[in-house]
Amino acid sequence: MKRLRNLTAAVLLAVTAPILTAAPAGAATTTIHRDNAAGAAYTGKVRATLIAPVSVSTSLGTATCNTGNIDAAVQSNGTALNVSGFSFSNNPGPACPNSAGGQSTVSAVGLPWNGGNVTYGAVSGGRDATVTLTNVRVSSTTTGWFGTITCVYRGSGASDSITLDGFNADNAARPDASVNQAQARAVNSSLSKVSGSFLCPGTASYSATFQLLGETVAGSGVYDQKLHITS
């Protein structure tokens, strides 16, 4: 009887083992394409350009900039999203107006910000993916009723990250339906104080909407390649 039980257990293990070990093969993947879901995989530079003003809010007020870019490079599987450029200003400006009666300027600290990712993860009626920037640190110099202060903030997520929702150009839920490009949006992404004046608030929130474009010709510096994200 004992031998029969052992034989039965061995048979069950042999039958179920392929089922148990096959699960990772069905795990979600990410592919960034040129043009559309049928396009070739895209590895290269990406520029995120504001299509709606970016706002940074603290307990002291809100600063708003209407022009800006984030430059990065990414692998076609969404890994190694590395940010090399970060520039925001206002027109007219170049400083950005704030609700404290003054102006604000913002600059990146510690570029490049390496190790981010684009991860496919469609939500019904919402995003197609997430776009995570890691090692995010920014310095802001602000004037207002309180004088002039300089504050340094970091992303509040793991590895000092912030995460935006990503949308394909054919997604009816994309933030700006008039822009026929892939888009990314942050809504009240949290930032935490690293250093600065004692007047600097401990937290800030960041909201922005970007269009996302790659290079048709690698290294050209011309961002005219439509991008599309799938699993």
Side-chain angles (χ1 to χ4, degrees), residues 87-207:
S87 177
F88 291 91
S89 59
N90 202 71
N91 185 21
C96 303
N98 65 53
S99 61
Q103 295 181 322
S104 300
T105 60
V106 61
S107 59
V109 176
L111 289 175
W113 299 337
N114 292 338
N117 65 83
V118 178
T119 302
Y120 180 79
V123 175
S124 179
R127 72 188 186 207
D128 294 296
T130 57
V131 180
T132 300
L133 310 182
T134 58
N135 301 303
V136 173
R137 293 204 177 202
V138 294
S139 176
S140 175
T141 298
T142 299
T143 63
W145 56 264
F146 40 78
T148 301
I149 59 174
T150 297
C151 313
V152 178
Y153 290 91
R154 63 173 178 82
S156 292
S159 301
D160 297 345
S161 63
I162 62 172
T163 298
L164 301 83
D165 288 335
F167 302 82
N168 287 322
D170 59 0
N171 186 338
R174 66 188 185 278
D176 190 338
S178 69
V179 176
N180 189 29
Q181 301 293 347
Q183 299 177 24
R185 177 178 64 191
V187 179
N188 294 326
S189 291
S190 180
L191 304 170
S192 299
K193 178 183 173 181
V194 175
S195 62
S197 166
F198 72 94
L199 293 175
C200 296
T203 60
S205 62
Y206 168 88
S207 297

Side-chain angles (χ1 to χ4, degrees), residues 58 75 118 120 190 214-215 217:
T58 71
Q75 297 296 305
V118 178
Y120 180 79
S190 180
E215 295 177 310
V217 178

Side-chain angles (χ1 to χ4, degrees), residues 45-47 181 211-214 223-227:
K45 294 181 179 180
V46 177
R47 172 167 287 177
Q181 301 293 347
Q211 71 172 10
L212 307 175
L213 286 166
Y223 292 89
D224 56 358
Q225 174 62 63
K226 180 173 285 190
L227 302 173

